[in-house]
Amino acid sequence: MRELINEVFARRFGNELLAALDDAASLNAAGPLAFTTDAFVVKPLFFPGGDIGKLAVCGTVNDLAVMGATPKWLSASFIIAEGLDEEVLTRVVMSMAAAADEAHVLVACGDTKVVAAGDADELFVTTSGIGVYEDGKPARAPLAAGDKVIINGPVGAHGLAVLVAREALKLEAPLVSDCAPLGSLCAAIKRAAPGVKFMRDATRGGLAAVLNEAVPPNLNIVIDEKEMPVDEAVAAAAEILGLDPLTIANEGKVVAVVPAAEASAAVDAMRAHPLGRRAAIIGEVVAGAGRVLMKTAAAGTRVVNMPVADQLPRIC
Amino acid sequence: MRHLSEYRDRRLVEKLASAISGIAPADRVVTLMEVCGTHTMAIARFGLKQLLPASVRLISGPGCPVCVTPKEYVDRAVALARRPDVVVATFGDMMRVPGSEGDLATARAEGADVHVVYSPLEAVEAAAAAPDKKIVFLAVGFETTAPATATALRVARSRGLNNFYLLVAHKLIPPALGALVEDGSAGLDGFLLPAHVSAVIGTAVYEFLPRRYNIPCVIAGFEPVDIMAGIYMLLRQIRAGAARVENEYARVVRAGGNVAAQRLLAEVYAVTDTAWRGLGPIPGSGLVLREEFAPWDAARALPVDVPATRPDAGCICGAVLTGTKSPADCPQFGVRCTPRAPLGPCMVSSEGTCAAAYVYAYE
């Protein structure tokens, strides 16, 4: 086990916090902190556009970033099924190291447990993360009628990419996960739109879940299906599989609600960022009763409810 | 025109909506029934009912194959799944249809081997990969799906796979339409006929509806433009006092249908009388495997003890399927019956009328 830790983890994550290999990492932060955790059980471990390691880093980094915090430190704990190829583990860890570099975070501490082969499905990863509120508080404020809803790019890719990889579905469409760290994009949104009221990454449950979580009981959110970016490959695959792109998980998409006056500055700032080239205003907040509505491409309006069942298990 | 874009063109849909308002009757309400579950879902998903004038009432029919399958079938599937030597392979939306003692999803959680597949050929592959197990594919669906299961069976037979079985509950649409009109309670002025069923069976099979019952019929595709055009064509017939079978979906549906698919069906299946949830027994409305395929027929080859069927408590699915009640009329809708905890199949099937209302329109 010591070998595993030294060889694979300490070497690949390479930072002095971890290298101390003490019982805990000692951190220094002044001011209010954001703290989050997430477990990753995605199957298969590797899929187009990512893997469990990259997911584990980006997922937790993004939860901090959308709060308006600057992600700083992660912990990473691994539950490994006995017999897992060491090469697989190394690939995962290398991927995590690369993602951590890209996200400018340090993996400060970790843990490993090996369990009997049947007791865990290859590998489970849990990451916790700490971020610093540079402005002293979360980027959250009550929504108001007139606020605009913005997304940074097309939806539906991640869940489909994992599903297709897992089920080995013979779809020709190139489906690639959008897994990416959103720290610098969220920072750009905050700079361009300091009055940003809400940001959330559209993971499990997709855009539909985020909008339903965001809408307060005295307002409605109305989005326009025509403004919602969806790649043709995703739309086609979703159509064949009977899935709604609105409800499919993403791992590199942030939904932001900003005051109307700051909306175009926010979109411009996002489009200047590699992860926001196709940012678009997709809707707005209006007076209402806690509903999310969508003006469909065909003209009629329909309700967008909180997605009901777990459409796609083990996609993150 | 391209499937995902032009047939969903907003301006076209709005033009059709205007045209519909222009020829809709001023003095009475006409009731049009769309029969196919995919139509039900498409109409709900695109909010098309809002574009229709008050004098045009669009109701849903029994075109959800999972919904019209009697509970006894689910019970038999669950009993088969519980056999340790059986793997049940099924389309996803059968998983949570309530049986008398739980659904397939619960059976799986309790250790039964149940797999969701996207095609019956996957079940054939599963049989090839696991010779020590009996793979039972739940063959539910109308004329659109039946040729695929027939193909899967022929593939299994040609590969010498004796551990592949079908539990057949395929049903035929035209006899159900006749039963609905005979019943009369829905007061129908026209049928929006299913798209892909018609692609298989052609258009002539529906002629008895205008001829015997004077009911206008239009076969329509599933995109918003198709549906609105289909409704317009029905109203046009109604205004002219005409009754015939028209085909809006001519880009896919040919008058003779898909002859190869029809031959496949005739080779593998025989027509039988069968019971429909909500409509009761309808003569000549079901398919059963021909005698030579008996070794692959789960109903004949794999006996199981099936519990006595318990009726769905408070579920008015039957009335919803015949168009005599709508989901809004059901006191359980959204209260004690939700997609997470359904009382009956209409709320949990991907083509269920109640599911469509709940997911897309529930306020």
Side-chain angles (χ1 to χ4, degrees):
Chain A
M1 184 48 62
R2 192 90 196 156
E3 253 173 45
L4 181 71
I5 294 175
N6 282 338
E7 271 306 300
V8 181
F9 294 95
R11 198 155 69 132
R12 306 292 173 177
F13 287 131
N15 65 72
E16 55 195 28
L17 284 174
L18 194 59
L21 288 180
D22 215 332
D23 290 296
S26 300
L27 312 174
N28 236 330
L33 304 174
F35 183 33
T36 187
T37 190
D38 227 325
F40 296 87
V41 297
V42 66
K43 188 183 173 95
L45 296 179
F46 300 91
F47 45 87
D51 57 70
I52 191 172
K54 185 177 176 188
L55 254 189
V57 169
C58 294
T60 293
V61 160
N62 293 348
D63 279 338
L64 296 170
V66 297
M67 291 297 294
T70 304
K72 289 276 199 207
W73 303 284
L74 296 185
S75 70
S77 94
F78 300 81
I79 296 177
I80 307 164
E82 193 157 22
L84 181 73
D85 199 335
E86 190 181 306
E87 206 235 305
V88 167
L89 188 59
T90 307
R91 274 175 69 195
V92 168
V93 172
M94 282 176 64
S95 175
M96 289 177 78
D101 273 346
E102 194 187 338
H104 305 296
V105 294
L106 296 178
V107 176
C109 57
D111 180 61
T112 59
K113 291 285 181 298
V114 177
V115 296
D119 290 356
D121 194 353
E122 291 192 284
L123 178 65
F124 297 146
V125 181
T126 299
T127 47
S128 297
I130 295 178
V132 172
Y133 286 119
E134 318 273 7
D135 305 334
K137 59 180 169 55
R140 291 280 185 271
L143 271 54
D147 290 343
K148 298 294 183 197
V149 180
I150 303 174
I151 194 165
N152 64 315
V155 297
H158 173 79
L160 280 178
V162 173
L163 178 68
V164 170
R166 178 164 68 226
E167 307 291 339
L169 294 174
K170 295 182 183 59
L171 291 178
E172 281 177 18
L175 293 166
V176 179
S177 167
D178 63 341
C179 182
L182 298 171
S184 59
L185 179 67
C186 290
I189 295 173
K190 279 182 57 189
R191 274 193 306 272
V196 60
K197 303 205 175 169
F198 178 84
M199 290 188 289
R200 180 157 293 161
D201 51 337
T203 55
R204 183 178 293 284
L207 178 59
V210 170
L211 295 176
N212 274 282
E213 287 163 0
V215 72
N218 63 325
L219 296 168
N220 282 354
I221 290 180
V222 183
I223 59 173
D224 190 334
E225 190 174 19
K226 269 181 39 189
E227 300 304 320
M228 208 179 72
V230 180
D231 280 338
E232 207 176 324
V234 170
E239 193 69 28
I240 289 180
L241 296 171
L243 299 169
D244 183 353
L246 271 185
T247 63
I248 299 176
N250 308 274
E251 290 289 341
K253 293 295 164 297
V254 54
V255 179
V257 181
V258 306
E262 296 177 353
S264 67
V267 171
D268 287 345
M270 289 165 82
R271 287 187 182 157
H273 189 288
L275 294 174
R277 297 274 183 244
R278 291 165 65 186
I281 298 176
I282 58 170
E284 60 173 359
V285 181
V286 299
R291 309 309 304 180
V292 178
L293 303 169
M294 180 166 82
K295 184 153 200 260
T296 68
T301 299
R302 67 140 161 129
V303 177
V304 177
N305 274 314
M306 182 66 90
V308 174
D310 210 358
Q311 284 203 311
L312 303 174
R314 295 189 65 183
I315 43 86
C316 65
Chain B
M1 284 174 66
R2 297 186 65 219
H3 172 73
L4 282 185
S5 49
E6 282 95 334
Y7 282 98
R8 295 186 186 180
D9 184 86
R10 188 173 281 180
R11 280 160 310 145
L12 260 180
V13 171
E14 281 167 353
K15 261 198 212 164
L16 285 162
S18 260
I20 287 171
S21 291
I23 62 164
D27 53 342
R28 62 188 180 101
V29 172
V30 290
T31 300
L32 306 176
M33 176 180 271
E34 43 87 1
V35 174
C36 171
T38 309
H39 273 146
T40 313
M41 274 292 169
I43 289 164
R45 178 180 163 194
F46 292 105
L48 295 180
K49 277 190 190 169
Q50 299 150 24
L51 306 176
L52 301 176
S55 58
V56 178
R57 188 173 149 245
L58 200 56
I59 61 175
S60 299
C64 160
V66 166
C67 305
V68 297
T69 301
K71 201 170 191 180
E72 191 267 342
Y73 180 90
V74 176
D75 293 338
R76 182 170 294 273
V78 169
L80 281 166
R82 291 196 196 282
R83 273 179 61 154
D85 58 336
V86 168
V87 174
V88 165
T90 176
F91 293 130
D93 58 351
M94 282 296 291
M95 289 296 289
R96 289 184 308 112
V97 176
S100 303
E101 287 176 9
D103 54 27
L104 285 168
T106 317
R108 180 168 68 178
E110 290 170 0
D113 215 335
V114 184
H115 287 212
V116 171
V117 295
Y118 289 93
S119 141
L121 290 173
E122 284 181 58
V124 175
E125 294 306 325
D132 56 325
K133 293 277 186 180
K134 296 172 165 42
I135 312 298
V136 177
F137 178 75
L138 302 186
V140 174
F142 297 118
E143 294 95 327
T144 323
T145 330
T149 57
T151 301
L153 181 52
R154 289 172 82 234
V155 168
R157 184 174 67 164
S158 71
R159 285 168 65 172
L161 295 170
N162 295 320
N163 60 331
F164 174 79
Y165 300 86
L166 293 180
L167 188 66
V168 178
H170 286 309
K171 293 182 166 41
L172 305 173
I173 287 283
L177 299 179
L180 279 167
V181 179
E182 288 279 348
D183 173 82
S185 44
L188 303 173
D189 297 302
F191 277 121
L192 199 69
L193 292 175
H196 293 155
V197 165
S198 306
V200 173
I201 65 179
T203 64
V205 279
Y206 301 111
E207 291 290 344
F208 75 100
L209 289 164
R211 249 189 264 130
R212 204 179 304 160
Y213 304 107
N214 215 40
I215 270 215
C217 296
V218 174
I219 297 164
F222 295 126
E223 299 305 320
V225 168
D226 291 313
I227 295 169
M228 296 299 272
I231 293 172
Y232 175 81
M233 289 161 74
L234 277 171
L235 292 171
R236 190 174 59 183
Q237 284 191 43
I238 291 172
R239 190 168 71 161
R244 58 183 184 278
V245 177
E246 286 188 273
N247 181 6
E248 182 278 336
Y249 200 32
R251 67 187 185 275
V252 171
V253 176
R254 290 188 301 243
N258 183 323
V259 174
Q262 291 166 24
R263 259 193 236 124
L264 247 181
L265 290 182
E267 181 197 316
V268 172
Y269 296 108
V271 173
T272 185
D273 301 339
T274 193
W276 291 53
R277 193 194 293 250
L279 284 86
I282 301 180
S285 68
L287 293 180
V288 72
L289 282 172
R290 286 190 179 280
E291 194 51 48
E292 69 184 276
F293 292 99
W296 292 272
D297 185 347
R300 278 176 272 193
L302 299 177
V304 276
D305 283 326
V306 182
T309 312
R310 251 189 280 139
D312 296 321
C315 174
I316 64 164
C317 199
V320 171
L321 288 168
T322 50
T324 46
K325 286 232 151 48
S326 76
D329 295 328
C330 179
Q332 322 296 345
F333 180 83
V335 178
R336 283 188 52 235
C337 184
T338 64
R340 264 203 198 283
L343 288 181
C346 295
M347 182 58 94
V348 73
S349 168
S350 62
E351 301 199 342
T353 304
C354 298
Y358 190 93
V359 171
Y360 294 116
Y362 181 49
E363 301 262 2

